[in-house]
């Protein structure tokens, strides 16, 4: 196909640009609290609003099989423009908590037309080596998610609105680039009609269920870890008064390096197999959950940061691999819907996990509370460890 060598780089760049919308509100939360007279708990509410919007969006996209019935590139483009618009509206001076929550919800809603649809586009182009391709794609998501933390650190001398303007501009650029340079892929098999039963039918295959439940276990841990990284760092400086951290920069590094881990895991999967690699990485992140209470008591700040960087890498490195298994075990005409459904349910789990952890933080300042994050990976390992009908490489 003409210009085929630029397809994956364009998808990856577009995914990075557009997913920077995800934590844009988190990057300027202190300024939002100050300028709009919000409570300190606004961070949790605004984060949950994005997640909830994404869940509703993916649910609707899945039920209506949007990514399979229409050109994925056009769906991505329209979603990028609308997501950028609602993200930019946050800079309006007359916003209130209700309007901010609504805007973050709508941003999350249209992210449903970006992240899973971007993966759908990749599956339409790459039959062989899908794990590696999705590794780059999820890596772009991770970097995009972490990027507002870096923007916050780099724009301390600029108005807080510059973070939102920059992320919205990036999203528009990403949407235009993908629409202009990435036509429908050669492996795309469009679905002609709305299939309201698709939401349930995809789970009839045992291998698909195993991959999906592995992904659900992974998601229990992932976003909760990302949300609480700044709090973990802040809590450590409170306990160790002689320690000073640049929390926005460290948060970007800890979360962002997970993007490189996604790419690396894709290459490893080509050598030893997708399922085996996913299992090993999920096991490592589970171990991080289990030993975190001990590590957080260390007096060595270098050891703590090293541990968090390692955890930040293994907590997400299995994401593209599990998505690959989901895509490989879904029928060709419903791959986009299958990926969207699994994303929908996975992000529903993140809200539950985040709320559970938030409640635990309010009840106790003990380091042992992060132990509960191991519950998801443990269940995911059980699902992946069951003997399958076929071996997926």
């Amino acid at each position: 196909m003409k210009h085929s060598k630029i397809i994956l780089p364009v998808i990856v760049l577009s995914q990075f640009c557009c997913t920077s919308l995800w934590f844009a509100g988190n990057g300027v939360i202190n300024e939002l609290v100050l300028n709009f007279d919000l409570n300190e708990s606004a961070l949790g509410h605004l984060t949950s609003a994005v997640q909830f919007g994404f869940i509703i969006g993916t649910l609707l996209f899945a039920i209506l099989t949007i990514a399979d019935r229409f050109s994925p590139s056009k769906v991505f483009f329209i979603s990028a423009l609308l997501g950028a618009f609602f993200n930019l509206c946050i800079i309006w001076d007359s916003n209130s908590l209700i309007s901010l929550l609504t805007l973050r919800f709508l941003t999350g809603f249209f992210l449903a037309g970006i992240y899973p649809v971007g993966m759908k586009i990749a599956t339409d182009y790459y039959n062989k080596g899908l794990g590696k391709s999705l590794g780059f794609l999820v890596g772009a998501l991770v970097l995009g998610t972490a990027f507002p933390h870096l923007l916050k650190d780099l724009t301390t001398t600029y108005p807080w609105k510059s973070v939102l303007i920059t992320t919205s501009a990036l999203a528009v650029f990403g949407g235009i680039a993908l629409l202009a340079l990435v036509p429908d892929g050669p492996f795309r098999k469009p679905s002609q009609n709305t299939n309201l039963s698709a939401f349930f039918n995809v789970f009839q295959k045992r291998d698909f269920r195993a991959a999906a439940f592995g992904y659900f276990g992974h998601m229990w841990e992932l976003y909760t870890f990302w949300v609480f990284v700044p709090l973990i760092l802040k809590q450590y400086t409170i306990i160790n008064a002689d320690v000073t951290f640049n929390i926005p920069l460290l948060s970007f590094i800890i979360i962002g390096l997970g993007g490189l881990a996604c790419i690396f895991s894709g290459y490893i999967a080509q050598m030893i197999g997708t399922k085996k690699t996913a299992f090993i990485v999920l096991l490592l992140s589970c171990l991080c959950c289990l030993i975190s209470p001990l590590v957080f008591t260390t007096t060595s700040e270098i050891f703590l940061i090293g541990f968090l960087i390692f955890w930040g890498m293994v907590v997400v490195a299995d994401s593209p691999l599990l998505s690959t298994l989901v895509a490989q075990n879904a029928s060709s005409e419903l791959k986009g819907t299958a990926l969207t459904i699994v994303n929908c349910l996975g992000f529903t789990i993140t809200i539950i996990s985040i709320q559970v952890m938030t409640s635990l933080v309010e009840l106790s300042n003990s380091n042992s509370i992060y132990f509960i994050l191991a519950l998801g990976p443990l269940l995911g390992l059980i699902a992946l460890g069951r003997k399958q009908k076929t071996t997926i490489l």
Side-chain angles (χ1 to χ4, degrees), residues 15-296:
Q15 189 83 303
F16 162 74
C17 290
C18 294
T19 55
S20 66
L21 299 173
W22 216 305
F23 274 17
N26 298 51
V28 293
I29 187 61
N30 292 331
E31 288 75 11
L32 293 180
V33 168
L34 179 64
N35 283 272
F36 297 110
D37 194 27
L38 307 178
N39 293 326
E40 292 296 329
S41 60
L43 172 61
H45 296 316
L46 291 173
T47 302
S48 295
V50 179
Q51 302 294 82
F52 187 56
F54 184 83
I55 290 166
I56 298 301
T58 51
L59 181 62
L60 186 60
F61 275 56
I63 291 175
L64 299 179
T65 59
I66 298 295
D68 293 303
R69 293 171 58 211
F70 303 102
S71 168
S73 296
K74 292 179 181 178
V75 173
F76 189 102
F77 168 71
I78 295 171
S79 298
L81 292 187
L82 292 172
F85 171 74
F86 290 117
N87 181 67
L88 186 62
C89 286
I90 295 177
I91 69 175
W92 184 41
D93 292 330
S94 298
N95 273 315
S96 63
L97 177 60
I98 298 300
S99 66
L100 289 172
L101 288 173
T102 302
L103 291 171
R104 294 310 289 158
F105 171 87
L106 290 170
T107 302
F109 182 91
F110 288 106
L111 279 166
I114 294 171
Y115 175 44
V117 174
M119 288 195 295
K120 156 66 175 172
I121 294 171
T123 64
D124 288 342
Y125 273 94
Y126 300 97
N127 195 10
K128 294 183 179 180
L130 180 59
K132 183 179 71 173
S133 301
L134 291 187
F136 280 98
L137 201 59
V138 177
L141 162 73
V142 176
L143 196 59
T145 301
F147 189 61
H149 289 294
L150 180 62
L151 271 181
K152 171 63 177 175
D153 183 60
L154 295 176
T155 60
T156 52
T157 58
Y158 296 92
W160 62 272
K161 295 180 180 180
S162 62
V163 173
L164 297 162
I165 294 171
T166 301
T167 50
S168 289
L170 283 172
V172 171
F173 171 79
I176 293 174
L178 191 131
L179 179 67
L181 300 173
V182 184
D184 292 341
F187 298 108
R188 179 176 180 248
K189 293 184 179 180
S191 176
Q192 300 299 323
N193 302 308
T194 301
N195 184 358
L196 297 179
S197 64
F199 193 97
F200 305 99
N201 290 345
V202 293
F203 284 97
Q204 291 181 353
K205 293 180 63 176
R206 189 172 66 181
D207 292 356
F208 180 89
R209 289 198 304 272
F213 280 94
Y215 181 83
F216 298 154
H218 147 82
M219 289 296 282
W220 170 268
E221 177 191 10
L222 176 61
Y223 271 82
T224 304
F225 173 77
W226 281 352
V227 168
F228 281 88
V229 161
L231 183 62
I232 292 170
L233 293 170
K234 182 179 180 180
Q235 184 66 22
Y236 187 83
T237 60
I238 293 174
I239 297 175
N240 301 274
D242 57 329
V243 176
T244 302
F245 286 148
N246 183 336
I247 294 179
L249 181 60
L250 281 177
S251 297
F252 168 75
I253 293 172
I254 292 166
I255 297 172
L257 284 177
L260 293 178
C262 289
I263 297 171
F264 186 56
S265 69
Y267 281 98
I268 294 177
Q270 286 189 316
M271 294 184 288
I272 67 173
T274 302
K275 182 183 171 185
K276 184 176 181 180
T277 307
F279 187 92
I280 293 172
V281 174
L282 191 58
L283 177 61
L284 289 174
S285 66
C286 182
L287 291 175
C288 287
C289 298
L290 295 175
I291 67 173
S292 63
L294 294 176
V295 176
F296 292 161

Side-chain angles (χ1 to χ4, degrees), residues 301-383:
E301 56 196 89
I302 295 178
F303 181 72
L304 173 75
I305 294 172
F307 171 76
L308 288 175
I309 288 175
F310 178 78
W311 194 358
M313 295 175 75
V314 296
V315 75
V316 73
D318 51 350
S319 190
L321 306 176
L322 293 167
S323 294
T324 299
L325 294 175
V326 168
Q328 288 177 337
N329 286 290
S331 58
S332 298
E333 66 275 9
L334 289 176
K335 279 186 179 181
T337 298
L339 287 166
T340 306
I341 289 169
V342 171
N343 269 265
C344 173
L345 296 176
F347 276 86
T348 301
I349 291 170
T350 68
I351 287 188
I352 299 172
S353 178
I354 290 170
Q355 292 302 316
V356 168
M357 186 59 65
T358 299
S359 299
L360 290 175
V361 167
E362 292 176 350
L363 292 173
S364 172
N365 59 2
S366 171
N367 291 319
S368 62
I369 60 176
Y370 295 98
F371 185 88
I372 198 172
L373 291 179
L375 179 61
L378 282 173
L379 295 177
L381 289 169
I382 292 173

